[in-house]
């Protein structure tokens, strides 16, 4: 029997352990992803930044680099997250008196290699425009309201079920406005993952499945199949970059 999203022990997720495992010492593949993300958003906004761009990171978890990548372009950024410990972690990062944790500075150093990022003071900007809200990806209302969006290691890392993976991808894409740049990342062929004392489910996804899941919603779609293993139990990472098209896909 496959584990579904509702079966996972999200209330016991430990964000500090997760950050220590994955981000305290920056991994080569994450720095590569940040470069690709930075350059993609830079290309998308090369002809100018529209007024009042609103960004969303769906299933933000204990990872700030997707939100940091949106800072130069957005008037507001919303971090949506379901696990209560992660919500509390994100709120501390956004509202703490000294700003977000220094662990994220290494990722900002990669971002600021591009001129648009050098014009931003990240801690002040993050505290000014980022807000956190508890929400389940699978319960998003489908109203297309966001002008820029990210979803990192979420649709594939919450359930073993193909229907929940596909629904998660659709729910993310269905909240993006026409033409919205987006980035989505997935663990390739993941067998699940351990955080502290608890095991969390994953759907075994490959680059073809990511392409199939996104192409109906996207234009200018790029799939980067990154063969970097960071722990046993997966075969790499997949990064999808593109823009939301104007099509309304059937449920």
């Amino acid at each position: 029997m496959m584990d579904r999203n509702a079966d996972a022990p999200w209330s016991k997720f430990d964000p500090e352990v997760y950050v220590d495992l994955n981000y305290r010492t920056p991994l080569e593949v994450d720095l590569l992803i940040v470069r690709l993300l930075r350059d993609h958003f830079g290309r998308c906004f090369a002809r100018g930044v529209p007024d009042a761009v609103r960004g969303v990171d769906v299933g933000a978890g204990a990872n700030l680099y997707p939100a940091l990548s949106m800072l130069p372009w957005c008037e507001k950024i919303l971090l949506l997250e379901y696990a209560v410990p992660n919500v509390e972690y994100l709120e501390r990062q956004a509202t703490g008196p000294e700003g977000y944790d220094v662990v994220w500075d290494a990722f900002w150093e990669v971002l600021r290699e591009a001129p648009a990022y050098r014009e931003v003071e990240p801690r002040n900007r993050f505290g000014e425009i980022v807000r956190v809200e508890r929400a389940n990806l699978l319960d998003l209302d489908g109203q297309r309201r966001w002008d820029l969006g990210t979803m990192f290691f979420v649709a594939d890392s919450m359930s073993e079920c193909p229907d929940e993976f596909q629904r998660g991808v659709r729910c993310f894409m269905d909240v993006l406005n026409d033409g919205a740049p987006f980035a989505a990342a997935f663990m390739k062929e993941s067998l699940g993952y351990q955080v502290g004392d608890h095991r969390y489910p994953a759907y075994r996804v490959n680059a073809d499945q990511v392409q199939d899941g996104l192409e109906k919603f996207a234009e200018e779609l790029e799939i980067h199949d990154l063969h970097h293993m960071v722990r046993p139990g997966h075969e790499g990472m997949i990064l999808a970059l593109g823009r939301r098209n104007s099509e309304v896909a059937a449920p």
Side-chain angles (χ1 to χ4, degrees):
M1 184 174 178
M2 292 185 290
D3 287 337
R4 302 185 71 83
N5 179 58
D7 300 324
W10 300 114
S11 66
K12 298 176 181 178
F13 197 96
D14 190 329
E16 299 293 348
V17 169
Y18 186 81
V19 169
D20 286 344
L21 285 172
N22 295 283
Y23 303 120
R24 187 71 59 186
T25 300
L27 299 172
E28 177 186 352
V29 66
D30 282 306
L31 297 177
L32 173 58
I33 286 172
V34 170
R35 291 186 188 97
L36 292 167
L37 189 58
R38 173 198 71 197
D39 294 347
H40 171 59
F41 289 158
R43 288 192 300 271
C44 288
F45 292 113
R47 297 182 181 177
V49 182
D51 293 335
V53 172
R54 296 187 301 169
V56 64
D57 185 22
V58 176
N63 180 5
L64 296 197
Y65 74 63
L68 292 173
S69 75
M70 294 190 276
L71 282 186
W73 322 112
C74 292
E75 177 187 79
K76 296 179 181 179
I77 297 173
L78 183 63
L79 308 184
L80 297 179
E81 170 59 29
Y82 178 70
V84 170
N86 286 341
V87 171
E88 294 170 348
Y89 173 85
L90 293 168
E91 288 175 339
R92 291 195 299 272
Q93 301 301 304
T95 63
E98 297 182 3
Y100 55 76
D101 194 307
V102 295
V103 69
W104 304 108
D105 290 346
F107 301 96
W108 183 258
E109 286 302 307
V110 174
L111 291 169
R112 71 183 302 275
E113 292 170 4
Y117 292 87
R118 289 198 292 272
E119 297 174 4
V120 175
E121 199 299 305
R123 279 187 172 78
N124 289 341
R125 186 69 172 159
F126 195 91
E128 288 169 358
I129 71 170
V130 170
R131 296 296 177 266
V132 182
E133 183 176 310
R134 187 169 186 242
N136 188 330
L137 166 62
L138 300 178
D139 293 334
L140 296 184
D141 59 17
Q143 294 186 29
R144 298 178 67 175
R145 67 186 74 177
W146 304 103
D147 309 299
L148 181 60
T150 55
M151 180 181 68
F152 272 58
F153 314 116
V154 184
D156 58 313
S157 300
M158 63 181 187
S159 169
E160 295 178 346
C161 302
D163 62 310
E164 290 196 319
F165 168 76
Q166 293 158 5
R167 183 179 162 196
V169 170
R170 185 177 72 246
C171 286
F172 168 59
M173 298 303 291
D174 276 352
V175 299
L176 301 179
N177 286 327
D178 292 1
F182 71 85
F186 309 85
M187 298 299 291
K188 181 180 178 181
E189 298 286 357
S190 176
L191 300 174
Y193 55 106
Q194 189 84 17
V195 181
D197 296 330
H198 302 283
R199 186 80 178 165
Y200 293 87
Y203 176 61
R204 296 190 64 173
V205 66
N206 59 37
D208 288 341
Q209 290 167 311
V210 171
Q211 174 93 28
D212 291 345
L214 286 169
E215 61 186 358
K216 65 178 72 69
F217 305 103
E219 56 191 32
E220 303 172 23
L221 182 62
E222 301 176 11
I223 304 295
H224 297 267
D225 192 349
L226 308 174
H227 302 284
H228 295 67
M229 287 187 61
V230 300
R231 70 180 78 87
H234 72 97
E235 296 181 9
M237 298 186 189
I238 301 164
L239 178 67
L241 305 171
R243 289 182 182 267
R244 180 63 161 98
N245 63 19
S246 58
E247 298 297 320
V248 179

